[in-house]
Amino acid sequence: MTAPSEGTPEGTPEDTPGEAHDAAHEYAAGRAPRIPGPRPAGDDLEPPELVPAPPPPHRVLKSLLGAWALAACSAEETQAVEDHLTECAPCAEEALRLRDAVGLLHPEETLDLKPLLRSRVLEDCLGRRPARIPVPVWAGPYDTETARLDALLRDFGEAEWDTPVRLKWFQEERRRTRRTTVSGVIGHLLTVDGLVATALGLDDPLGPHAPPGGPAGRTEHFWSSDARPGTGAVRDPWREQGHTLVRTVSFAGRGAAELSVDYGPFALPLADAFLERAFECWVHASDIAEAVDYPYGPPSGPHLHRMIDLAARLLPTALAGRRRSGLAAPPRGLVAAGAPGRTLHLEIEGAGGGSWDIALDSPAAKPSREHTVAEVALDGVEFCQLAAGHISPEDAAVGQTGDREAIRDVLFAAASLSRL
C-alpha cells in the first residue's frame, strides 16, 4: 500500500487517465476543466438556476376571462391571462366582449327625474324645431307649474290622496288654516282655475249652476258637493282643464292677455290671472309635498321673477284696501293721479330677484326714488311665502331701513294678498 501524495486529500480517489484526458480536452476547447468529486461548501457557489413553471392550460385561462374582465384576478393570474390573450385570438375576442359587458354594469340610481330635466328637453326640442303655435310667455309659468305638480301626483296611491293637508293664508291681522286632503287641494285648484276657464268661454268645472262669488265660495261648494270626483279621480279633470287653458290662449292671439278674469271681490287681466294661478299651483304643490314628505323646489328664476313682479304690482291696491278697512295707517298726504308720492323701495334677493318701487299713499300715485321713505330687502322665496300667507309679517326675515310704519303696512299688505 502506498501513501497518498502531498496535496491529495485523504480518502479522495486520484483522477483516472480517462478523466484526465477529458479535462485536458475541455481546457483545450476553452472550457474550464471539470473537477471531479464533490465541491466543498463556500460563499463562491452560485444558486441553482430556477426553471419557470409552465403556464396554465388553455381551459384554465379561458375560465378566468370573466374574473379578469371584472378585475378580480390575482396579479399572477392577470399576467397569465394577458400573456395568453396575445397568442389566442378566440380568447381575445371573448375577453373584449366581456370587458364591454362589464362597462354596462352600473350602480342603481334614483328613479326620480331631475327637476330641470323637463325644461332642458323642451329647450332642446324647441331649439331644433320651434313650436308652430307657441305658448304665450305669460302662460309659461302656469304650464310649467301644473306639469310639475302633475308629475308629483302621477304615482300617488289611494293612501297618498287621502293624506291630510293644512292650507294656510293670512286674513286681517292673523293667519288662518283649513284642513283638507291632497284630493281636496286639487279640487280647490280645479274650481279656481275654472274662473279663468269661464272668462275664456270654456265650460265651468262646477257646471251651469256654479255659485256666484270668489274662490273661497266656489271651493266650499265643491268640497260639499256629492257629485265631486273621489280621491285621485280629480286629477284627470284638473289636468285636462289646464291643458285646455294653455291650448286656448295659445290660439287666441295677443289680444287675449288683456281679457278680464272676475275673481268676485276683484278682477285681473288674463295674463296676470295666469301668473296668479301659477303662483297658487306652486304654493299648494309645496303644501302637498310637505304633507307626503317629498322635496319640492321653487319655480325657475325667470318664472319666479314674474310671480314676484305681479305681487309687487298688487301691493299699492292691497295697501289701499287695508286703509279702507282701518287696518293700515292713513296716507300722509293727498297725491294726484300720476304725481310722485311717498315710496318704499323693495329689494328682492336670490333667484327671481329684482327691485321695485311701491307707491305708499295711493295706487294711482307715481313711485319716485326721490320720495323714498323706506327700504326693505327680502329673499325671493321668503317674499312669496309671505304673499302666500305661509309666514307672518312679524316672522319674515327682513332687512329694513326708514319709516317703520310704512314698512309694517307694506309687509301686512303683502300677507293680505293670500286667501283660501
Side-chain angles (χ1 to χ4, degrees):
M1 176 180 281
T2 60
S5 64
E6 186 179 356
T8 303
E10 187 174 358
T12 301
E14 296 181 354
D15 290 342
T16 64
E19 290 175 339
H21 176 77
D22 292 340
H25 181 76
E26 289 178 358
Y27 184 84
R31 296 192 294 271
R34 178 177 60 85
I35 299 176
R39 298 180 63 182
D43 295 337
D44 59 341
L45 293 180
E46 296 181 359
E49 183 179 357
L50 297 178
V51 178
H58 173 84
R59 59 181 179 80
V60 174
L61 293 171
K62 184 176 181 181
S63 68
L64 290 174
L65 292 179
W68 173 85
L70 292 168
C73 287
S74 65
E76 294 78 7
E77 292 172 338
T78 300
Q79 185 63 46
V81 169
E82 292 178 353
D83 290 344
H84 179 68
L85 295 181
T86 62
E87 303 172 355
C88 181
C91 284
E93 294 177 2
E94 179 67 15
L96 183 61
R97 285 194 294 269
L98 291 173
R99 182 57 63 89
D100 290 341
V102 169
L104 299 176
L105 300 177
H106 56 82
E108 293 184 1
E109 299 177 356
T110 176
L111 296 180
D112 294 336
L113 297 179
K114 295 181 179 180
L116 297 180
L117 178 60
R118 179 179 184 273
S119 61
R120 289 173 183 166
V121 172
L122 288 176
E123 181 181 3
D124 183 65
C125 293
L126 294 177
R128 294 174 182 270
R129 190 169 102 181
R132 187 171 298 175
I133 306 296
V135 175
V137 174
W138 43 265
Y142 175 82
D143 187 30
T144 300
E145 293 308 311
T146 52
R148 285 213 301 155
L149 175 54
D150 185 58
L152 174 64
L153 301 173
R154 186 173 295 124
D155 295 327
F156 274 20
E158 196 74 15
E160 284 86 359
W161 282 101
D162 290 329
T163 302
V165 180
R166 188 168 294 277
L167 302 181
K168 297 167 285 221
W169 71 98
F170 189 85
Q171 187 173 345
E172 295 180 350
E173 297 298 302
R174 64 190 185 93
R175 206 167 65 177
R176 311 279 181 168
T177 64
R178 177 65 186 272
R179 184 185 175 92
T180 183
T181 63
V182 172
S183 179
V185 174
I186 303 305
H188 168 60
L189 293 175
L190 171 70
T191 58
V192 184
D193 285 356
L195 294 172
V196 181
T198 56
L200 290 170
L202 303 172
D203 293 337
D204 192 324
L206 297 183
H209 304 294
R218 289 173 60 88
T219 299
E220 295 290 351
H221 176 81
F222 177 83
W223 284 345
S224 61
S225 173
D226 295 333
R228 68 173 182 171
T231 59
V234 72
R235 172 179 167 255
D236 289 339
W238 165 75
R239 193 70 179 110
E240 180 58 33
Q241 178 177 252
H243 284 310
T244 304
L245 291 176
V246 173
R247 185 167 54 248
T248 301
V249 297
S250 298
F251 282 94
R254 295 184 178 181
E258 301 302 321
L259 186 66
S260 180
V261 179
D262 185 12
Y263 281 79
F266 61 95
L268 289 174
L270 184 65
D272 286 347
F274 263 82
L275 280 175
E276 187 273 335
R277 300 313 304 142
F279 177 80
E280 186 169 2
C281 183
W282 163 47
V283 168
H284 289 322
S286 300
D287 292 335
I288 293 173
E290 181 181 0
V292 299
D293 195 24
Y294 192 88
Y296 202 85
S300 64
H303 290 178
L304 190 62
H305 179 83
R306 287 179 171 272
M307 297 176 191
I308 295 172
D309 177 71
L310 172 62
R313 289 188 284 111
L314 294 177
L315 281 177
T317 301
L319 180 56
R322 285 180 57 81
R323 283 202 181 103
R324 288 192 296 269
S325 302
L327 300 173
R332 299 286 178 84
L334 296 177
V335 181
R342 288 191 316 138
T343 301
L344 179 140
H345 181 70
L346 176 63
E347 190 75 27
I348 302 298
E349 301 170 344
S355 58
W356 289 264
D357 291 321
I358 311 300
L360 294 173
D361 293 323
S362 169
K366 181 180 179 180
S368 170
R369 293 303 300 268
E370 290 75 18
H371 293 77
T372 298
V373 298
E375 294 186 3
V376 169
L378 266 170
D379 174 74
V381 174
E382 188 164 18
F383 176 76
C384 290
Q385 294 294 316
L386 175 65
H390 280 47
I391 59 175
S392 64
E394 296 92 343
D395 295 334
V398 180
Q400 50 186 285
T401 59
D403 190 329
R404 301 294 179 183
E405 184 180 66
I407 293 171
R408 179 188 183 278
D409 286 344
V410 169
L411 292 179
F412 273 81
S416 71
L417 295 174
S418 63
R419 62 175 192 281
L420 173 63

